[in-house]
Amino acid sequence: QSVLTQPPSASGTPGQRVTISCSGSSSNVGTDTLNWYQQLPGTAPKLLIYKNNQRPSGVPDRFSGSKSGTSASLAISGLQSEDEADYYCAAWDDSLNGAVFGGGTKLTVL
Amino acid sequence: EVQLGQSGAEVKRPGSTVTISCKVSGDTLRDYYLHWVQQSPGKGLEWMGLIDPEDGETFYAEKFQGRVNIIADTSRDTAYMELSSLRSEDTAVYFCAISERPAVVPGEYWGQGTVVTVSS
């Protein structure tokens, strides 16, 4: 059971907008900034969003992040087939004194 | 460009210790926190711990406390992760990653991963 809760799966058709949620608590998402990662099969995770809503250089603006209270969301607009991947959120947890990941969401592009 | 290069795949016996290295190139290890992340087959990412190479301070996830040791050799810009008392459940891919101070969650740069197989 992960400290951060994500839906195990999500899906959408090409061109659609999909959102993936990440729910935590006051000791992690509620007090710290959140990162989102994309992982394609057999590869290392790739940072998509940092500090809740910032995109690293090279990440398309189709990807956006938001946070409210103890919940956060990753939105992907203009869904493309290459977006089919696993997505993870992560934050620092002040109670555990360590970083925590969500369980991951498998995104399928139909 | 910053790159992280990890050591190669390992096959270990139960009860033994594995050591994986992670070399930072294109920048200095001291400028970052260095993390280790475990990914078991078909499972999600699990944070194991981090080291501050400036002073050697470490933070470990409770799950691995007592079995994991992360060290940093700043003269070689290389960090190491030792996992002891190996069991079959430790069969996984292990990634190193860095975060730019003051961020304490893995950031943009990751190693390619090291496969560790624990089998008798």
Side-chain angles (χ1 to χ4, degrees):
Chain A
Q1 189 107 3
S2 302
V3 174
L4 304 183
T5 301
Q6 297 180 234
S9 63
S11 64
T13 56
Q16 257 191 333
R17 181 178 187 270
V18 298
T19 61
I20 297 171
S21 62
C22 174
S23 177
S25 68
S26 58
S27 65
N28 43 63
V29 179
T31 58
D32 202 10
T33 61
L34 190 105
N35 287 2
W36 287 95
Y37 309 85
Q38 176 194 61
Q39 188 179 32
L40 298 170
T43 68
K46 171 188 175 182
L47 182 67
L48 278 183
I49 298 289
Y50 66 100
K51 292 184 181 178
N52 304 326
N53 55 19
Q54 303 298 302
R55 279 187 308 277
S57 172
V59 173
D61 59 7
R62 301 188 296 108
F63 295 91
S64 62
S66 63
K67 192 185 90 165
S68 178
T70 59
S71 292
S73 290
L74 172 71
I76 310 171
S77 60
L79 198 63
Q80 299 179 3
S81 58
E82 54 260 41
D83 299 333
E84 189 161 288
D86 295 323
Y87 293 83
Y88 297 90
C89 58
W92 184 263
D93 191 296
D94 289 335
S95 295
L96 298 175
N97 222 15
V100 288
F101 282 95
T105 298
K106 184 175 184 60
L107 175 63
T108 301
V109 180
L110 302 169
Chain B
E1 184 192 356
V2 178
Q3 292 185 322
L4 277 62
Q6 297 184 221
S7 49
E10 300 265 9
V11 178
K12 291 292 184 179
R13 299 291 191 203
S16 65
T17 297
V18 68
T19 302
I20 304 170
S21 66
C22 174
K23 179 170 175 56
V24 175
S25 59
D27 208 334
T28 304
L29 178 60
R30 281 184 183 276
D31 290 344
Y32 302 93
Y33 297 123
L34 190 291
H35 305 254
W36 289 94
V37 175
Q38 179 195 60
Q39 187 167 36
S40 301
K43 303 295 185 183
L45 305 173
E46 186 145 24
W47 185 82
M48 300 178 71
L50 73 79
I51 187 166
D52 180 350
E54 277 280 351
D55 57 10
E57 185 177 22
T58 53
F59 296 86
Y60 298 125
E62 188 175 353
K63 174 180 177 179
F64 300 100
Q65 194 87 32
R67 290 204 302 137
V68 68
N69 186 36
I70 300 174
I71 57 178
D73 182 346
T74 54
S75 68
R76 299 175 190 269
D77 288 319
T78 301
Y80 303 87
M81 189 276 291
E82 302 173 340
L83 187 61
S84 61
S85 302
L86 289 171
R87 37 210 188 218
S88 58
E89 308 90 88
D90 296 319
T91 293
V93 179
Y94 293 83
F95 295 100
C96 62
I98 54 176
S99 60
E100 202 166 332
R101 301 168 190 278
V104 285
V105 178
E108 188 171 2
Y109 300 106
W110 291 65
Q112 80 274 23
T114 296
V115 176
V116 174
T117 303
V118 182
S119 174
S120 54

